[in-house]
């Protein structure tokens, strides 16, 4: 069994005060939890404060997005170097909201992953199909395309530094979760793609999180699946009790 990785994607939520309070509650609740990797992904403007609070604690801090360029005239954007500079270790790349609302393509996602890795940031690459695509039996095709595009030109060493999050779009923020079996099947498919693109060691070592309406009630069944190595949690990560409950479930499978 791999060490599970539970990540909280706070999206565009919370005030600075609430974000700091939440992080303090998490620190208290996680006290000596080393069995599971835990990461939180606040909005850009709160990252520095949260990184400062979490210094010396065993919780990763990451951004929800980044720009693929090194520096320059890119108004409103944030580079990997800037994230690293303030203490971030991780970054979410290719979240479905960024793909759908901000037209991020697989080649942009690929450039962001490369920029993240060259700044020593660990990317969480999000993939997943829409309801329409699932209904049309295109789940595998979509996920395979997102992986091929997102991982283009990456070596096995680089890929081993990544986490992949399978997040079916129809399950995000809807309260509709993939069944544990449905999720496990796609996770196995993803791992097979990594195996055929790279090798068995890489496929075995990469962690694949499930995301989409994960909460303290369904976490046990999802995390108990053999191919599921953690969760990317949205809504339920905004409440310390539910997030800590999910982490506790993950401890059982780490
Ligand atoms: P959700 O979001 O848990 O609120 O469905 C997950 C995500 O978007 O990463």
């Amino acid at each position: 069994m791999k060490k599970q990785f539970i990540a909280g994607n706070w999206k565009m939520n919370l005030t600075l005060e609430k974000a700091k309070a939440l992080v303090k509650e998490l620190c208290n609740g996680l006290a000596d939890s080393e069995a599971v990797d835990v990461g939180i992904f606040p909005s850009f403007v709160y990252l520095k404060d949260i990184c400062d609070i979490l210094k010396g604690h065993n919780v990763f801090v990451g951004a929800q997005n980044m720009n693929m360029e090194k520096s320059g005239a890119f108004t409103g954007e944030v580079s990997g170097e800037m994230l690293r500079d303030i203490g971030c270790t991780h970054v979410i790349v290719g979240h479905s909201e960024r793909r759908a609302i901000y037209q991020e393509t697989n080649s942009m996602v690929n450039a962001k992953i490369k920029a993240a890795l060259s700044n020593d940031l660990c990317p969480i690459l999000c993939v997943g199909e829409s309801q329409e695509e699932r209904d049309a039996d295109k789940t595998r095709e979509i996920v395979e395309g997102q992986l091929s595009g997102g991982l283009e030109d990456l070596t096995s060493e680089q890929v081993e530094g990544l986490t992949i999050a399978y997040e079916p779009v129809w399950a995000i923020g809807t309260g509709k979760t993939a069944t544990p079996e449905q999720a496990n099947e796609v996770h196995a498919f993803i791992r097979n793609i990594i195996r055929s693109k790279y090798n068995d060691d890489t496929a075995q070592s990469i962690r694949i999180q499930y995301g989409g309406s994960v909460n303290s009630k369904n976490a046990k069944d999802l995390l108990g699946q053999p191919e599921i190595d953690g969760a990317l949690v949205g809504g339920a990560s905004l409440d310390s009790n539910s997030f800590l409950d999910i982490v506790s479930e993950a401890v059982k499978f780490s």
Side-chain angles (χ1 to χ4, degrees), residues 7-11 92 95-97 126 165 167-176 210-215 231-238 246:
N9 174 8
W10 291 358
K11 308 195 180 181
I92 297 173
H95 189 281
S96 64
E97 284 150 17
C126 301
E167 298 205 303
V169 180
W170 47 272
I172 295 180
T174 57
K176 226 160 100 178
Y210 169 77
S213 297
V214 175
N215 58 39
L232 181 52
V233 185
S237 70
L238 297 171
I246 296 169

Side-chain angles (χ1 to χ4, degrees), residues 151-169:
L151 301 178
E152 201 170 309
D153 299 329
L154 295 184
T155 64
S156 55
E157 289 74 32
Q158 287 177 310
V159 171
E160 280 165 24
L162 296 187
T163 297
I164 294 174
Y166 169 57
E167 298 205 303
V169 180

Side-chain angles (χ1 to χ4, degrees), residues 25-228:
E25 287 163 21
L26 292 179
C27 280
N28 294 335
L30 289 167
D32 51 4
S33 166
E34 299 230 330
V36 172
D37 282 335
V38 177
I40 51 170
F41 295 77
S43 89
F44 281 131
V45 289
Y46 301 153
L47 282 172
K48 174 78 170 78
D49 289 84
I50 305 290
C51 283
D52 289 346
I53 296 173
L54 285 172
K55 238 177 226 150
H57 288 269
N58 197 24
V59 178
F60 302 138
V61 184
Q64 300 166 16
N65 178 37
M66 62 175 274
N67 191 276
M68 67 279 266
E69 303 292 342
K70 226 170 147 22
S71 63
F74 302 102
T75 303
E77 293 295 301
V78 173
S79 72
E81 188 180 17
M82 291 169 179
L83 295 176
R84 189 75 225 183
D85 199 21
I86 58 159
C88 289
T89 53
H90 287 66
V91 61
I92 297 173
V93 179
H95 189 281
S96 64
E97 284 150 17
R98 299 225 46 99
R99 292 178 189 264
I101 308 170
Y102 303 103
Q103 285 79 48
E104 277 193 13
T105 61
N106 287 326
S107 71
M108 289 162 78
V109 169
N110 179 246
K112 288 183 182 200
I113 291 177
K114 288 175 180 161
L117 291 169
S118 68
N119 284 289
D120 282 333
L121 293 166
C122 308
I124 299 183
L125 163 62
C126 301
V127 298
E129 80 289 0
S130 66
Q131 182 70 62
E132 232 173 41
E133 289 158 349
R134 177 162 278 262
D135 292 345
D137 212 10
K138 288 193 171 156
T139 299
R140 288 175 174 236
E141 188 187 318
I142 295 297
V143 168
E144 186 161 15
Q146 290 170 335
L147 284 173
S148 304
L151 301 178
E152 201 170 309
D153 299 329
L154 295 184
T155 64
S156 55
E157 289 74 32
Q158 287 177 310
V159 171
E160 280 165 24
L162 296 187
T163 297
I164 294 174
Y166 169 57
E167 298 205 303
V169 180
W170 47 272
I172 295 180
T174 57
K176 226 160 100 178
T177 335
T179 64
E181 294 73 25
Q182 272 175 334
N184 194 63
E185 189 193 319
V186 182
H187 282 227
F189 174 69
I190 291 172
R191 209 177 297 284
N192 271 331
I193 291 176
I194 302 296
R195 187 172 289 115
S196 58
K197 266 179 92 69
Y198 298 95
N199 54 60
D200 191 51
D201 286 351
T202 306
Q204 288 307 329
S205 68
I206 200 161
R207 287 188 291 195
I208 308 175
Q209 298 173 319
Y210 169 77
S213 297
V214 175
N215 58 39
S216 50
K217 293 197 178 69
N218 58 32
K220 179 173 176 244
D221 289 339
L222 287 160
L223 298 175
Q225 294 294 314
E227 297 289 346
I228 300 185

